[in-house]
Amino acid sequence: MPDRLSQMRGLYRLIDVRTILVVGGGYAGFYAAWKLERRLRPGEARVVLIDPRPYMTYQPFLPEVLAGSVEARHAAVSQRRHLKKTKIISGTVVRIDHATRTVTVRPAEGPEHPLAYDTIVVTAGAVTRKLAIPGVAERAIGLKHVEEAVAIRDQLLTSFDRASTLPPGPRRQRLLTVTFVGGGFSGVEGFGELLSLATALVRAYPELDPKELDFHLVEARDRILPEVSAEQGRWVVRSLEKRGAHVHLGALVTSATGGHVVLSTGVAFESELIVWTAGNAANPMVHRHTDLPIDARGLLVVRADLRVGTEDAPVPDAWGAGDDAAVPDLAAGGGSVTVPNAQHAVRQGKLLARNLLAELRGREVRRYRHHSLGTVATLGLGRGIFEWKGIVIRGFPAWLMHRGYHVLAVPSWERKVRVLAIWLAAAVFGRDIVSLASVQHPRHAFVVGGDPAVLAIDPEPVTGGGEPSSVPGGPH
């Protein structure tokens, strides 16, 4: 390993080009690399980006992906298509040793190996916050990646198909029961969109009664959507309840074993689909496997100019932004830090690129200060809410504002056009209600060969190893 590092450093000194290493290809990392490669002069620096996924997920589109309003691939922005001058490594950084300017990379294939750099940009993002609740790890699906949104949609559609073949009763009711845990933006938007899909979907199943739909939103606090005012949060609850949903405030999930959901309030019910959106947790690599300074929550300590460190003790050649960094919120003041959302991460990524270029060229860097453009959320097809400095817009106009803002915000004209085309097609022809849950078990048809005897014995899809799965189309 030392010999390899020496060779790498010798090569870099020979060609005298700085290596800027970006850890993580989410909003902040993608935009930092994208803007850097557009503005760097030839031979000024090379950009290397390491991420286990070959795309950046545009997370605000995930609720519409699970509702079928946006094609799954259109919520994913290809790194190689847009980062043509950046060296992309498919893998995960498992350790940062800034003292020696090296990271340990675990590639998609092959053994772990060290990689040297001159400047590091840590934008590894956060992970879904999980709690040690019985049954959650086995049953729940998150809503942070495209694959999860697709799995949620397919499981709902599959549940409708299966419920339509059953007589009214507990099993059919379980298949038509959906539970979301977490009343933040991700949970409320996903819940509203899936409720909208289910309400429209039941019309295509004459065997089912719309009153059988049973949607539950569970939130530990006494309100949902903390980003909007308390009054507007209450309005959202009333709006969801008018559509037949059950909103459980001040409630915790104490168990979800086998799909039997038990709340701290004593309420219990059977739920086939459980979606976990109960906030973010610190990235384990940032929290435990780096010599860079972190705070009590496991977030990178960064200054307002996005350098790692404090005002009095900056860390040379280290920068951070996004959900894994405690970026001071100068607009709010009071020692607060920016909330982990797309609006901040995108703008921080762009500022990272500007400040890195400024440092390379001996210019003054800028501090991050962003005044909110307001809060807008979708609550299902044709429903939304917008709030900004006391101005509140609800219903269809807010929903249009949500779509308009995000189609402008998603990077590249190619993605904007694709998303608009899907929306226009859906407006003319309606939602696509085909489930592709079987794609999660691609060998099933090959293994059973359509043999009725095999299907009668084992009606569940099989995994790659030929064993039956316990939840068709669900989490594994």
Side-chain angles (χ1 to χ4, degrees):
M1 186 177 294
D3 290 342
R4 183 171 181 176
L5 283 174
S6 300
Q7 292 172 2
M8 292 165 64
R9 293 190 187 282
L11 176 62
Y12 292 167
R13 283 194 296 269
L14 179 65
I15 57 181
D16 196 26
V17 176
R18 290 185 65 82
T19 296
I20 300 173
L21 178 63
V22 181
V23 180
Y27 295 120
F30 177 87
Y31 273 92
W34 198 27
K35 298 299 181 182
L36 272 173
E37 72 171 26
R38 289 182 169 193
R39 298 173 184 174
L40 281 168
R41 299 164 184 159
E44 192 171 22
R46 70 163 57 80
V47 181
V48 179
L49 183 143
I50 303 176
D51 194 86
R53 286 181 168 82
Y55 55 81
M56 181 203 79
T57 302
Y58 191 72
Q59 290 183 350
F61 277 159
L62 293 186
E64 296 207 50
V65 170
L66 64 84
S69 299
V70 169
E71 168 63 33
R73 286 183 176 84
H74 299 168
V77 181
S78 170
Q79 293 168 355
R80 293 188 182 274
R81 182 183 181 95
H82 300 287
L83 302 179
K84 297 180 179 178
K85 299 178 183 177
T86 298
K87 178 177 175 55
I88 297 172
I89 297 175
S90 178
T92 304
V93 171
V94 296
R95 181 167 187 82
I96 298 173
D97 186 357
H98 192 63
T100 61
R101 301 296 194 276
T102 59
V103 297
T104 302
V105 180
R106 180 178 295 157
E109 290 288 340
E112 293 182 2
H113 61 81
L115 181 66
Y117 64 83
D118 296 294
T119 299
I120 193 166
V121 178
V122 184
T123 54
V127 297
T128 301
R129 181 173 60 129
K130 290 176 284 190
L131 304 175
I133 299 172
V136 167
E138 295 78 18
R139 299 291 309 185
I141 308 176
L143 187 53
K144 210 170 183 64
H145 303 290
V146 173
E147 302 93 331
E148 294 171 322
V150 172
I152 293 168
R153 169 181 164 78
D154 283 345
Q155 185 166 331
L156 180 77
L157 295 174
T158 300
S159 291
F160 267 73
D161 285 334
R162 294 166 66 186
S164 68
T165 67
L166 297 172
R171 178 57 183 159
R172 181 157 121 171
Q173 184 60 67
R174 174 192 171 107
L175 288 167
L176 298 176
T177 300
V178 175
T179 305
F180 272 67
V181 184
F185 249 92
S186 179
V188 172
E189 288 194 318
F191 185 80
E193 286 286 351
L194 203 64
L195 177 59
S196 180
L197 171 62
T199 304
L201 188 63
V202 76
R203 302 189 192 111
Y205 290 83
E207 306 91 342
L208 303 178
D209 186 339
K211 294 180 181 178
E212 292 181 279
L213 295 179
D214 197 15
F215 273 63
H216 297 262
L217 176 62
V218 183
E219 170 52 48
R221 292 167 292 191
D222 60 357
R223 57 167 299 185
I224 61 173
L225 288 180
E227 294 85 356
V228 304
S229 65
E231 179 183 353
Q232 301 314 314
R234 289 190 292 270
W235 177 84
V236 173
V237 170
R238 292 195 300 271
S239 174
L240 292 172
E241 289 177 337
K242 284 179 181 178
R243 296 161 61 188
H246 305 279
V247 181
H248 306 271
L249 298 178
L252 299 170
V253 174
T254 59
S255 175
T257 303
H260 181 70
V261 179
V262 181
L263 305 184
S264 58
T265 56
V267 175
F269 49 88
E270 298 287 329
S271 182
E272 185 72 9
L273 175 57
I274 302 172
V275 183
W276 188 266
T277 60
N280 294 329
N283 189 298
M285 185 276 294
V286 174
H287 191 186
R288 304 189 188 98
H289 304 292
T290 176
D291 56 353
L292 295 171
I294 60 171
D295 66 11
R297 295 171 298 166
L299 302 178
L300 274 177
V301 176
V302 300
R303 311 188 328 170
D305 60 8
L306 306 182
R307 296 177 191 267
V308 174
T310 63
E311 294 296 330
D312 297 327
V315 177
D317 304 320
W319 304 74
D323 294 355
D324 64 1
V327 180
D329 192 341
L330 300 183
S336 60
V337 298
T338 57
V339 295
N341 63 24
Q343 197 174 121
H344 283 301
V346 168
R347 287 162 177 77
Q348 289 168 11
K350 294 177 180 179
L351 180 62
L352 269 174
R354 286 196 292 265
N355 281 354
L356 284 162
L357 288 169
E359 185 185 49
L360 278 173
R361 298 166 185 173
R363 299 175 184 168
E364 186 177 353
V365 299
R366 294 168 52 186
R367 302 204 300 170
Y368 179 74
R369 180 188 293 269
H370 173 63
H371 295 280
S372 174
L373 301 176
T375 300
V376 63
T378 175
L379 303 175
L381 191 64
R383 299 177 173 91
I385 183 169
F386 169 82
E387 184 176 28
W388 180 70
K389 294 185 177 180
I391 299 172
V392 177
I393 300 174
R394 300 169 177 167
F396 187 73
W399 176 77
L400 283 179
M401 293 173 68
H402 177 273
R403 284 202 162 184
Y405 172 79
H406 286 299
V407 80
L408 290 174
V410 69
S412 84
W413 279 102
E414 171 254 341
R415 275 296 180 264
K416 299 180 199 297
V417 171
R418 289 181 186 272
V419 170
L420 279 171
I422 290 292
W423 283 343
L424 290 173
V428 176
F429 301 108
R431 299 174 187 266
D432 190 335
I433 59 171
V434 175
S435 169
L436 294 178
S438 59
V439 76
Q440 298 178 42
H441 309 277
R443 296 187 64 247
H444 175 61
F446 175 75
V447 172
V448 304
D451 187 337
V454 176
L455 291 173
I457 297 171
D458 178 21
E460 305 282 351
V462 295
T463 64
E467 295 296 325
S469 77
S470 57
V471 189
H476 298 284

